[in-house]
């Protein structure tokens, strides 16, 4: 069961410049950057009051985020739904013929998994089951 939207992922070229943009233009603070994607991205979360904006900057020219930026430029990258039970959600998606990218993995927020955008009307979908 989906509980709501946890965050929206946005690809950016320069994380510090983007954080400064959100601070100056919208008055929104963001978390200190952490490494993600096995060290291929830098991530910061902007607190909008309800849904978070996840700013994603690639490190170097390898990795999926670098390739995304090269191909598509800056902008919307993925939508993340908070779910009650990620294993059940992944099983349900698979049973409906959707491609799950890799396995369920542990991230900063909890357990996460991704659905291929080809099966979801062009939107990369992330599920997160938060650990209390
Ligand atoms: Co995300």
């Amino acid at each position: 069961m989906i509980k709501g939207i946890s965050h929206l992922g946005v690809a950016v070229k320069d994380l510090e410049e983007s954080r400064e943009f959100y601070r100056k233009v919208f008055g929104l603070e963001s978390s200190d950057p952490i490494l993600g994607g096995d060290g291929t991205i830098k991530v910061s979360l902007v607190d909008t009051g309800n849904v978070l904006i996840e700013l994603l900057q690639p490190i170097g020219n390898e990795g999926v985020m670098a390739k995304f930026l090269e191909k598509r430029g800056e902008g919307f990258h993925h939508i993340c739904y908070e779910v009650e039970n990620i294993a059940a959600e992944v099983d349900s998606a698979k049973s409906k013929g959707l491609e799950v990218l890799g396995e369920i993995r542990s991230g900063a927020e909890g357990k996460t998994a991704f659905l291929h955008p080809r099966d979801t009307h062009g939107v990369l979908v992330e599920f997160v089951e938060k650990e209390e």
Side-chain angles (χ1 to χ4, degrees):
M1 197 191 78
I2 287 177
K3 296 167 85 175
I5 293 174
S6 170
H7 64 261
L8 303 173
V10 174
V12 299
K13 283 184 198 155
D14 184 323
L15 188 61
E16 284 314 315
E17 196 186 65
S18 302
R19 292 179 68 206
E20 190 58 23
F21 170 85
Y22 278 84
R23 191 180 304 123
K24 270 193 186 159
V25 176
F26 301 128
L28 297 174
E29 297 299 325
S30 52
S31 64
D32 289 336
I34 57 160
L35 292 181
D38 297 326
T40 63
I41 51 172
K42 273 197 287 192
V43 183
S44 174
L45 293 165
V46 181
D47 185 359
T48 73
N50 48 14
V51 174
L52 297 164
I53 306 290
E54 184 179 57
L55 300 174
L56 305 152
Q57 183 214 303
I59 298 169
N61 300 318
E62 300 304 315
V64 288
M65 195 57 59
K67 300 221 156 54
F68 178 91
L69 261 187
E70 197 183 294
K71 234 169 101 178
R72 313 267 294 267
E74 290 189 304
F76 179 72
H77 182 261
H78 68 273
I79 185 166
C80 178
Y81 295 107
E82 184 180 356
V83 300
E84 208 161 78
N85 181 328
I86 194 159
E89 221 58 56
V90 163
D91 283 349
S92 164
K94 281 181 180 168
S95 75
K96 290 164 187 153
L98 280 72
E99 183 184 343
V100 177
L101 296 165
E103 300 296 317
I104 296 170
R105 54 205 143 213
S106 286
E109 278 194 303
K111 287 183 254 176
T112 67
F114 287 89
L115 303 181
H116 198 291
R118 156 193 339 114
D119 301 332
T120 56
H121 294 266
V123 177
L124 176 62
V125 170
E126 178 180 16
F127 292 138
V128 64
E129 179 187 326
K130 292 188 178 166
E131 277 149 5
E132 296 307 320

